[in-house]
Amino acid sequence: MSKKIDLYNSSYSNYSLETYSKIRLETYGEDYGQTSWVSTEESHEIPELLQLTSDSSVLDIGCGSGGYAVGLARRIGCRVVGFEINASGVKTANALADSEKVTDLVKFEQHDASKELPYEDNSFDAIYSTDVLCHVPLRREVLSNTKRLLKPGGKFVFSDALVIGGLISYEELENRCPDGMYFFSPPGINEQLIQESGLTLLEARDTTENCALLSKRWHDAREKRKDALIACEGKENFLGVQRFLAGVHRLTSERRLLRFLYTCSK
C-alpha cells in the first residue's frame, strides 16, 4: 500500500504563499484558494444556477480556504455561511474574510457534513458543495439534511468527481485516494439518492473534460516550481502529489473516472 500524502493541509496552510498563488492562477486562470476541479467558467456560472441575489442566504458545504465564499459575498452582497472539516481551512478562511472586510456577510465554522448540522430548517436560499460529497459518508443523509436546510424553492448545486466510468485497477484507485476518505459512485447513484432525499434534479452535467484539463495544468504548474514546493512540502510529498495529479489526468482523459455537476431544487 502506498503512503498517504498531504494534499489539503499543505494547500490550506500555505494559501498565502506566492508559489501556491501562482500555481492556482496558472491552473484555473484566477485565484481564490481553490483545490478542486471547478473550471473558471463553472465557478462563474454557479451563482446563476443558484439564482443568487443580494438578499440570498447561502451555505457552502466544504468551504476549503474560503476564497470562493468571500468572492460571492463581495460580488453579489449575499450572506454566506461556510463550513469545513479541516481546521487549517477554517482558520485560513476566517483570516481571509477579516482581511477582505466581509465578516459582516461571511462566517466560517468547523463541522462534519456527515453529522447533524447546527442550522435551523428552511435556513438557506441556496446551498452549494464543490467536489466535497465524494469525501463524505452517509450521502443519502447529507442530501436529506440539505433538503431540510433549504427554503422552499431553494437551489442546491454539487459536484462529484468520483463517478466510475470504466475499469480502474486497485493501484489506480489507491493513487486517487491520497489524503482522507473517498467514496466512488456507480453511474446513476447520485440521481437515485437525490430522488430519495426529496430534492428535484434539474440537471446532471458531465464536466469530466474540465477535470482532465485542470489536473494536467495543476501538475505542470507545480512541476515548474518543484524546488520551492519541495522546500515547503518535502520531496516525498511533492512527488506523491504529482503522481496523484498525473493519475487523475489519465483516468479522466480516458473517461474511466467521471465528474458530474448536479443542480437540484426543493
Side-chain angles (χ1 to χ4, degrees):
M1 180 175 291
S2 63
K3 187 174 181 180
K4 296 294 183 180
I5 63 173
D6 178 1
L7 179 61
Y8 296 108
N9 281 323
S10 59
S11 295
Y12 297 152
S13 299
N14 297 315
Y15 169 88
S16 61
L17 295 183
E18 184 179 7
T19 298
Y20 287 84
S21 180
K22 287 182 177 179
I23 290 170
R24 292 190 296 266
L25 189 60
E26 197 166 312
T27 300
Y28 302 98
E30 59 184 12
D31 174 19
Y32 51 85
Q34 60 269 58
T35 55
S36 66
W37 312 113
V38 182
S39 67
T40 299
E41 293 75 18
E42 183 180 313
S43 68
H44 291 171
E45 187 183 9
I46 286 175
E48 298 178 12
L49 295 174
L50 294 172
Q51 299 180 346
L52 298 185
T53 70
S54 59
D55 295 324
S56 298
S57 176
V58 186
L59 179 66
D60 180 352
I61 299 176
C63 61
S65 52
Y68 190 73
V70 167
L72 280 183
R74 292 187 64 186
R75 293 196 310 272
I76 299 174
C78 54
R79 301 179 309 281
V80 185
V81 176
F83 74 85
E84 170 67 41
I85 195 170
N86 185 287
S88 296
V90 175
K91 181 179 179 180
T92 299
N94 279 314
L96 179 63
D98 185 59
S99 68
E100 295 293 329
K101 297 179 170 50
V102 292
T103 53
D104 58 328
L105 292 175
V106 186
K107 66 176 181 178
F108 298 103
E109 303 168 343
Q110 186 173 8
H111 300 302
D112 183 341
S114 66
K115 298 181 180 179
E116 186 71 18
L117 297 173
Y119 309 119
E120 296 181 2
D121 294 1
N122 307 310
S123 296
F124 300 98
D125 298 291
I127 300 176
Y128 68 93
S129 184
T130 303
D131 297 336
V132 172
L133 294 195
C134 54
H135 300 291
V136 181
L138 306 175
R139 190 173 306 185
R140 179 183 286 103
E141 288 79 357
V142 174
L143 291 171
S144 296
N145 201 31
T146 300
K147 177 178 180 290
R148 176 183 71 81
L149 297 176
L150 273 177
K151 296 178 182 178
K155 298 295 187 295
F156 175 42
V157 171
F158 76 97
S159 52
D160 184 355
L162 297 182
V163 178
I164 298 292
L167 296 175
I168 303 177
S169 71
Y170 172 80
E171 289 77 15
E172 288 171 322
L173 281 176
E174 188 180 48
N175 184 63
R176 187 57 183 80
C177 306
D179 182 15
M181 192 176 296
Y182 291 75
F183 295 89
F184 293 79
S185 306
I189 191 64
N190 284 314
E191 291 85 343
Q192 176 187 331
L193 294 177
I194 289 167
Q195 182 179 25
E196 291 176 358
S197 73
L199 292 166
T200 299
L201 177 63
L202 302 178
E203 181 187 22
R205 184 189 310 176
D206 189 331
T207 59
T208 309
E209 183 178 350
N210 290 334
C211 188
L213 177 63
L214 292 174
S215 56
K216 181 67 163 58
R217 286 180 180 172
W218 194 351
H219 174 278
D220 292 351
R222 284 175 53 86
E223 195 67 35
K224 287 166 58 175
R225 298 163 178 86
K226 178 178 179 178
D227 292 341
L229 290 173
I230 288 176
C232 290
E233 303 173 359
K235 184 176 181 179
E236 185 174 359
N237 199 75
F238 170 80
L239 293 175
V241 173
Q242 294 303 88
R243 285 193 302 271
F244 161 72
L245 293 171
V248 172
H249 177 69
R250 182 171 57 255
L251 288 171
T252 52
S253 296
E254 297 173 3
R255 294 190 59 80
R256 291 186 286 137
L257 196 60
L258 310 176
R259 181 184 186 271
F260 279 83
L261 180 71
Y262 303 90
T263 302
C264 313
S265 67
K266 178 173 176 176

